Amino acid sequence: MHLNLSSMASKKLCDNIVFSIIRRYVATTQQTATTRATARSFLLRFIEDRRRKSRQDDIRLEPYISKGVYTESGAIRPMPKRYPLGIMKVLGIAIPFLYLGSLVSKYAALGLEKMDLFVYSDDDDDD
């Protein structure tokens, strides 16, 4: 009888340990599955948001895309909008900033030469 009680106690102890390990494993597996599902749903949401944003960009660019001379009904489209002095505006911005960029690079090269980090040598080795 004593042997039977100790074996029953050991069986209960073993069952408690085994079941707790199994429960922990199942909980971890479910947690991992929910984590994977969350990552998957995040990825799907991200992709869908990107698609929606690209569609909005397409709608915004629609007036600037050339569609030809005729509409779908066959009518002639109106003349495109012209911007007065367009090339002058471009040159008025480009030239001063090109000049400023060249000044910055010139003074940067002088500063590097002054600190002896970069010294330009104009020696010819042909002699």
Side-chain angles (χ1 to χ4, degrees), residues 43-61:
L43 185 62
L44 290 174
R45 239 181 306 129
F46 178 74
I47 290 170
E48 187 59 35
D49 289 345
R50 290 289 301 229
R51 285 182 185 157
R52 194 175 304 122
K53 189 174 184 306
S54 70
R55 282 188 210 126
Q56 288 174 351
D57 291 344
D58 290 346
I59 291 169
R60 262 185 273 152
L61 292 175

mmCIF file of all heavy atoms in Angstrom, residues 43-61:
data_model
loop_
_atom_site.group_PDB
_atom_site.id
_atom_site.type_symbol
_atom_site.label_atom_id
_atom_site.label_comp_id
_atom_site.label_asym_id
_atom_site.label_seq_id
_atom_site.Cartn_x
_atom_site.Cartn_y
_atom_site.Cartn_z
ATOM 1 N N LEU A 43 2.501 44.270 -42.060
ATOM 2 C CA LEU A 43 3.066 44.316 -43.403
ATOM 3 C C LEU A 43 1.973 44.534 -44.441
ATOM 4 O O LEU A 43 2.123 45.356 -45.354
ATOM 5 C CB LEU A 43 3.822 43.024 -43.693
ATOM 6 C CG LEU A 43 4.573 42.958 -45.008
ATOM 7 C CD1 LEU A 43 5.651 44.026 -45.040
ATOM 8 C CD2 LEU A 43 5.193 41.598 -45.191
ATOM 9 N N LEU A 44 0.863 43.834 -44.297
ATOM 10 C CA LEU A 44 -0.242 44.013 -45.234
ATOM 11 C C LEU A 44 -0.810 45.425 -45.167
ATOM 12 O O LEU A 44 -1.107 46.036 -46.192
ATOM 13 C CB LEU A 44 -1.347 42.991 -44.953
ATOM 14 C CG LEU A 44 -1.000 41.545 -45.305
ATOM 15 C CD1 LEU A 44 -2.096 40.616 -44.841
ATOM 16 C CD2 LEU A 44 -0.755 41.400 -46.783
ATOM 17 N N ARG A 45 -0.945 45.948 -43.939
ATOM 18 C CA ARG A 45 -1.439 47.320 -43.783
ATOM 19 C C ARG A 45 -0.476 48.310 -44.433
ATOM 20 O O ARG A 45 -0.881 49.255 -45.099
ATOM 21 C CB ARG A 45 -1.597 47.645 -42.301
ATOM 22 C CG ARG A 45 -3.004 48.035 -41.932
ATOM 23 C CD ARG A 45 -3.175 48.373 -40.476
ATOM 24 N NE ARG A 45 -2.690 47.300 -39.634
ATOM 25 C CZ ARG A 45 -1.846 47.449 -38.625
ATOM 26 N NH1 ARG A 45 -1.404 48.634 -38.305
ATOM 27 N NH2 ARG A 45 -1.433 46.429 -37.906
ATOM 28 N N PHE A 46 0.829 48.099 -44.234
ATOM 29 C CA PHE A 46 1.844 48.980 -44.805
ATOM 30 C C PHE A 46 1.777 48.968 -46.332
ATOM 31 O O PHE A 46 1.805 50.018 -46.977
ATOM 32 C CB PHE A 46 3.232 48.539 -44.328
ATOM 33 C CG PHE A 46 4.354 49.346 -44.899
ATOM 34 C CD1 PHE A 46 4.597 50.632 -44.449
ATOM 35 C CD2 PHE A 46 5.147 48.828 -45.899
ATOM 36 C CE1 PHE A 46 5.622 51.381 -44.980
ATOM 37 C CE2 PHE A 46 6.180 49.562 -46.438
ATOM 38 C CZ PHE A 46 6.410 50.841 -45.969
ATOM 39 N N ILE A 47 1.663 47.770 -46.910
ATOM 40 C CA ILE A 47 1.594 47.660 -48.371
ATOM 41 C C ILE A 47 0.340 48.336 -48.898
ATOM 42 O O ILE A 47 0.372 49.053 -49.903
ATOM 43 C CB ILE A 47 1.660 46.177 -48.791
ATOM 44 C CG1 ILE A 47 3.052 45.629 -48.519
ATOM 45 C CG2 ILE A 47 1.293 46.009 -50.258
ATOM 46 C CD1 ILE A 47 3.159 44.138 -48.680
ATOM 47 N N GLU A 48 -0.790 48.127 -48.211
ATOM 48 C CA GLU A 48 -2.041 48.745 -48.653
ATOM 49 C C GLU A 48 -1.969 50.270 -48.562
ATOM 50 O O GLU A 48 -2.437 50.981 -49.451
ATOM 51 C CB GLU A 48 -3.213 48.220 -47.821
ATOM 52 C CG GLU A 48 -4.553 48.672 -48.316
ATOM 53 C CD GLU A 48 -4.836 48.255 -49.752
ATOM 54 O OE1 GLU A 48 -4.406 47.160 -50.164
ATOM 55 O OE2 GLU A 48 -5.466 49.049 -50.474
ATOM 56 N N ASP A 49 -1.350 50.784 -47.501
ATOM 57 C CA ASP A 49 -1.181 52.243 -47.375
ATOM 58 C C ASP A 49 -0.317 52.798 -48.499
ATOM 59 O O ASP A 49 -0.593 53.868 -49.039
ATOM 60 C CB ASP A 49 -0.571 52.600 -46.017
ATOM 61 C CG ASP A 49 -1.539 52.400 -44.875
ATOM 62 O OD1 ASP A 49 -2.759 52.266 -45.142
ATOM 63 O OD2 ASP A 49 -1.082 52.366 -43.719
ATOM 64 N N ARG A 50 0.759 52.064 -48.855
ATOM 65 C CA ARG A 50 1.616 52.518 -49.951
ATOM 66 C C ARG A 50 0.853 52.536 -51.274
ATOM 67 O O ARG A 50 0.987 53.460 -52.063
ATOM 68 C CB ARG A 50 2.838 51.592 -50.086
ATOM 69 C CG ARG A 50 3.837 51.682 -48.968
ATOM 70 C CD ARG A 50 4.563 52.974 -49.036
ATOM 71 N NE ARG A 50 5.243 53.095 -50.290
ATOM 72 C CZ ARG A 50 6.486 53.436 -50.450
ATOM 73 N NH1 ARG A 50 7.206 53.722 -49.418
ATOM 74 N NH2 ARG A 50 7.018 53.526 -51.642
ATOM 75 N N ARG A 51 0.033 51.497 -51.507
ATOM 76 C CA ARG A 51 -0.760 51.466 -52.743
ATOM 77 C C ARG A 51 -1.737 52.620 -52.786
ATOM 78 O O ARG A 51 -1.905 53.273 -53.821
ATOM 79 C CB ARG A 51 -1.511 50.146 -52.842
ATOM 80 C CG ARG A 51 -0.649 48.990 -53.216
ATOM 81 C CD ARG A 51 -1.469 47.740 -53.351
ATOM 82 N NE ARG A 51 -0.601 46.609 -53.608
ATOM 83 C CZ ARG A 51 -0.918 45.357 -53.357
ATOM 84 N NH1 ARG A 51 -2.095 45.075 -52.840
ATOM 85 N NH2 ARG A 51 -0.073 44.394 -53.620
ATOM 86 N N ARG A 52 -2.395 52.885 -51.657
ATOM 87 C CA ARG A 52 -3.360 53.975 -51.598
ATOM 88 C C ARG A 52 -2.664 55.309 -51.854
ATOM 89 O O ARG A 52 -3.156 56.154 -52.589
ATOM 90 C CB ARG A 52 -4.042 53.973 -50.229
ATOM 91 C CG ARG A 52 -5.276 54.848 -50.178
ATOM 92 C CD ARG A 52 -6.009 54.741 -48.842
ATOM 93 N NE ARG A 52 -6.369 53.363 -48.537
ATOM 94 C CZ ARG A 52 -5.974 52.707 -47.439
ATOM 95 N NH1 ARG A 52 -5.229 53.306 -46.541
ATOM 96 N NH2 ARG A 52 -6.338 51.465 -47.225
ATOM 97 N N LYS A 53 -1.477 55.492 -51.264
ATOM 98 C CA LYS A 53 -0.741 56.741 -51.451
ATOM 99 C C LYS A 53 -0.302 56.903 -52.911
ATOM 100 O O LYS A 53 -0.375 57.995 -53.463
ATOM 101 C CB LYS A 53 0.479 56.771 -50.547
ATOM 102 C CG LYS A 53 1.187 58.103 -50.513
ATOM 103 C CD LYS A 53 2.292 58.077 -49.493
ATOM 104 C CE LYS A 53 2.972 59.390 -49.352
ATOM 105 N NZ LYS A 53 3.482 59.961 -50.561
ATOM 106 N N SER A 54 0.128 55.809 -53.534
ATOM 107 C CA SER A 54 0.542 55.915 -54.937
ATOM 108 C C SER A 54 -0.651 56.250 -55.832
ATOM 109 O O SER A 54 -0.512 56.977 -56.807
ATOM 110 C CB SER A 54 1.223 54.631 -55.397
ATOM 111 O OG SER A 54 0.287 53.588 -55.501
ATOM 112 N N ARG A 55 -1.838 55.719 -55.489
ATOM 113 C CA ARG A 55 -3.030 56.080 -56.266
ATOM 114 C C ARG A 55 -3.342 57.560 -56.114
ATOM 115 O O ARG A 55 -3.711 58.227 -57.073
ATOM 116 C CB ARG A 55 -4.226 55.248 -55.799
ATOM 117 C CG ARG A 55 -4.210 53.849 -56.330
ATOM 118 C CD ARG A 55 -5.499 53.126 -56.001
ATOM 119 N NE ARG A 55 -5.206 51.719 -55.861
ATOM 120 C CZ ARG A 55 -5.512 50.967 -54.821
ATOM 121 N NH1 ARG A 55 -6.154 51.482 -53.792
ATOM 122 N NH2 ARG A 55 -5.189 49.704 -54.781
ATOM 123 N N GLN A 56 -3.178 58.090 -54.892
ATOM 124 C CA GLN A 56 -3.423 59.517 -54.672
ATOM 125 C C GLN A 56 -2.422 60.342 -55.467
ATOM 126 O O GLN A 56 -2.769 61.368 -56.043
ATOM 127 C CB GLN A 56 -3.319 59.853 -53.184
ATOM 128 C CG GLN A 56 -4.478 59.337 -52.371
ATOM 129 C CD GLN A 56 -4.265 59.558 -50.887
ATOM 130 O OE1 GLN A 56 -3.180 59.947 -50.462
ATOM 131 N NE2 GLN A 56 -5.283 59.308 -50.095
ATOM 132 N N ASP A 57 -1.168 59.894 -55.497
ATOM 133 C CA ASP A 57 -0.157 60.607 -56.283
ATOM 134 C C ASP A 57 -0.515 60.598 -57.755
ATOM 135 O O ASP A 57 -0.336 61.588 -58.457
ATOM 136 C CB ASP A 57 1.222 59.983 -56.081
ATOM 137 C CG ASP A 57 1.765 60.219 -54.680
ATOM 138 O OD1 ASP A 57 1.226 61.106 -53.986
ATOM 139 O OD2 ASP A 57 2.709 59.510 -54.285
ATOM 140 N N ASP A 58 -1.011 59.457 -58.242
ATOM 141 C CA ASP A 58 -1.413 59.378 -59.645
ATOM 142 C C ASP A 58 -2.535 60.359 -59.940
ATOM 143 O O ASP A 58 -2.557 61.002 -60.983
ATOM 144 C CB ASP A 58 -1.869 57.957 -59.996
ATOM 145 C CG ASP A 58 -0.712 56.976 -60.004
ATOM 146 O OD1 ASP A 58 0.440 57.440 -60.011
ATOM 147 O OD2 ASP A 58 -0.971 55.755 -59.990
ATOM 148 N N ILE A 59 -3.491 60.477 -59.008
ATOM 149 C CA ILE A 59 -4.611 61.398 -59.208
ATOM 150 C C ILE A 59 -4.107 62.842 -59.225
ATOM 151 O O ILE A 59 -4.543 63.659 -60.019
ATOM 152 C CB ILE A 59 -5.676 61.199 -58.108
ATOM 153 C CG1 ILE A 59 -6.364 59.844 -58.300
ATOM 154 C CG2 ILE A 59 -6.700 62.311 -58.129
ATOM 155 C CD1 ILE A 59 -7.234 59.434 -57.142
ATOM 156 N N ARG A 60 -3.144 63.144 -58.347
ATOM 157 C CA ARG A 60 -2.610 64.505 -58.305
ATOM 158 C C ARG A 60 -1.819 64.844 -59.561
ATOM 159 O O ARG A 60 -1.779 65.985 -59.991
ATOM 160 C CB ARG A 60 -1.704 64.670 -57.088
ATOM 161 C CG ARG A 60 -2.423 65.319 -55.937
ATOM 162 C CD ARG A 60 -1.502 65.584 -54.823
ATOM 163 N NE ARG A 60 -1.472 64.375 -54.021
ATOM 164 C CZ ARG A 60 -0.462 63.984 -53.281
ATOM 165 N NH1 ARG A 60 0.625 64.688 -53.234
ATOM 166 N NH2 ARG A 60 -0.519 62.880 -52.601
ATOM 167 N N LEU A 61 -1.144 63.855 -60.155
ATOM 168 C CA LEU A 61 -0.328 64.111 -61.342
ATOM 169 C C LEU A 61 -1.134 64.091 -62.629
ATOM 170 O O LEU A 61 -0.622 64.425 -63.690
ATOM 171 C CB LEU A 61 0.793 63.069 -61.437
ATOM 172 C CG LEU A 61 1.862 63.149 -60.360
ATOM 173 C CD1 LEU A 61 2.823 61.991 -60.497
ATOM 174 C CD2 LEU A 61 2.604 64.459 -60.429
#
